[in-house]
Amino acid sequence: MENIPQHIGFIMDGNGRWAKKRAMPRNFGHNQGAAVFKKTINWCRELGVKCATFYAFSTENWRRPSEEIKGIMDLLRRYLKDIRASADENIRIIILGDIEPFDKDIQDELIDIMQTSKNNTGFIVGIALNYGGRAEICNAARLLAVKCSQGEIIPDDITEELIGEYLYTSEMPPLDLVIRPSGEQRLSNFLIWQAAYAEFVFMDVLWPDFTKKDLEYAIREYAARNRRFGGI
Ligand code: FPP
């Protein structure tokens, strides 16, 4: 395939509905969703994508029942081992979001994985955890305000590029494509700054049923579009 997106964002939606259709608890769907997350990383690599970012837990997801949150955390704990194994395959892991509210063991593991995989160049996996696009931009604004108040920069120094350097994606290629399965057609606070010129592919498949064929379809759809970035 030609014109492969360098960076794809995945909104892993539909786990709950997938479980409900099988009269199973929601965490059964998340379990299956996590397995698809792992497979998707390999499919992206096989297809020549350079970076994939997954929306695993949003700042709004804390509103869910505690049992479901616990299920997702347990899943994360289990998959951290797998993620660590990926780090050994020249994959760099970047966590997007404020991980401070997570249990200490998860935080320590995440920080360690990010540090040990820092120089890996084969592929980048972004995992958005307690992530919100608005919170990310607020955070950048706050950090830049501190720099201004300390006299390190002046307000006129604040450009789109400078803000970009204060986002979690600063060391990732630009976001080209966002894929959202499950039939919903919204961004839900995911990479809102980065998605300014991204293409969107919305699909009816529920995330736990997402296959390599679905990914290929989305990439073909992307490749067929004419991105003008505001030009003609
Ligand atoms: C959205 O589906 C999914 C989530 C809020 C959680 C996604 C988490 C995982 C796939 C597992 C953990 C991830 C890793 C990296 C191990 P939903 O529950 O909103 O589905 P629904 O809209 O059908 O209810």
Side-chain angles (χ1 to χ4, degrees):
M1 277 200 276
E2 277 175 39
N3 199 8
I4 299 288
Q6 283 200 76
H7 181 178
I8 305 181
F10 291 91
I11 302 181
M12 305 188 284
D13 194 16
N15 298 343
R17 276 163 284 170
W18 186 88
K20 195 172 175 196
K21 270 170 62 179
R22 287 157 181 80
M24 294 296 279
R26 294 178 57 81
N27 282 330
F28 183 68
H30 294 318
N31 217 353
Q32 186 64 24
V36 173
F37 150 80
K38 202 183 142 191
K39 286 192 257 184
T40 304
I41 295 172
N42 291 331
W43 299 332
C44 282
R45 294 179 82 189
E46 286 160 18
L47 293 168
V49 176
K50 298 272 176 275
C51 172
T53 299
F54 297 85
Y55 206 5
F57 198 84
S58 75
T59 44
E60 289 73 33
N61 284 152
W62 296 108
R63 294 185 197 140
R64 296 196 174 199
S66 58
E67 197 186 307
E68 181 171 347
I69 294 176
K70 186 180 176 305
I72 296 177
M73 294 303 148
D74 287 345
L75 207 49
L76 185 61
R77 223 177 238 113
R78 247 191 291 145
Y79 270 83
L80 283 180
K81 282 198 184 66
D82 275 44
I83 294 169
R84 189 176 274 289
S86 311
D88 295 336
E89 293 167 25
N90 201 19
I91 295 183
R92 177 172 184 188
I93 313 288
I94 295 179
I95 305 299
L96 300 79
D98 173 15
I99 58 169
E100 206 158 300
F102 291 100
D103 287 349
K104 185 78 171 62
D105 64 312
I106 296 185
Q107 281 186 53
D108 290 347
E109 185 74 7
L110 290 171
I111 291 167
D112 192 55
I113 286 174
M114 271 200 285
Q115 272 164 0
T116 49
S117 70
K118 206 173 160 41
N119 297 318
N120 290 352
T121 52
F123 188 77
I124 301 174
V125 175
I127 307 174
L129 290 167
N130 190 28
Y131 172 86
R134 288 180 179 176
E136 178 183 35
I137 296 167
C138 258
N139 186 49
R142 218 176 285 120
L143 293 170
L144 288 167
V146 170
K147 279 196 169 287
C148 279
S149 67
Q150 289 172 345
E152 285 178 47
I153 56 169
I154 58 166
D156 275 350
D157 292 333
I158 300 176
T159 58
E160 293 184 12
E161 288 70 30
L162 188 63
I163 292 177
E165 285 172 27
Y166 284 79
L167 303 179
Y168 296 113
T169 46
S170 63
E171 293 182 32
M172 291 177 168
L175 182 71
D176 292 319
L177 170 64
V178 175
I179 299 176
R180 181 166 194 157
S182 96
E184 310 291 352
Q185 303 197 359
R186 56 178 171 266
L187 210 42
S188 301
N189 207 10
F190 180 58
L191 300 178
I192 52 175
W193 174 281
Q194 297 83 347
Y197 279 103
E199 295 291 329
F200 296 91
V201 174
F202 299 107
M203 306 175 81
D204 283 334
V205 60
L206 300 176
W207 176 254
D209 288 328
F210 190 81
T211 61
K212 189 176 182 186
K213 280 207 160 33
D214 293 317
L215 177 60
E216 286 169 346
Y217 165 84
I219 292 179
R220 265 200 304 277
E221 184 69 29
Y222 166 87
R225 292 187 192 172
N226 178 9
R227 299 178 83 198
R228 292 190 295 276
F229 298 97
I232 52 171

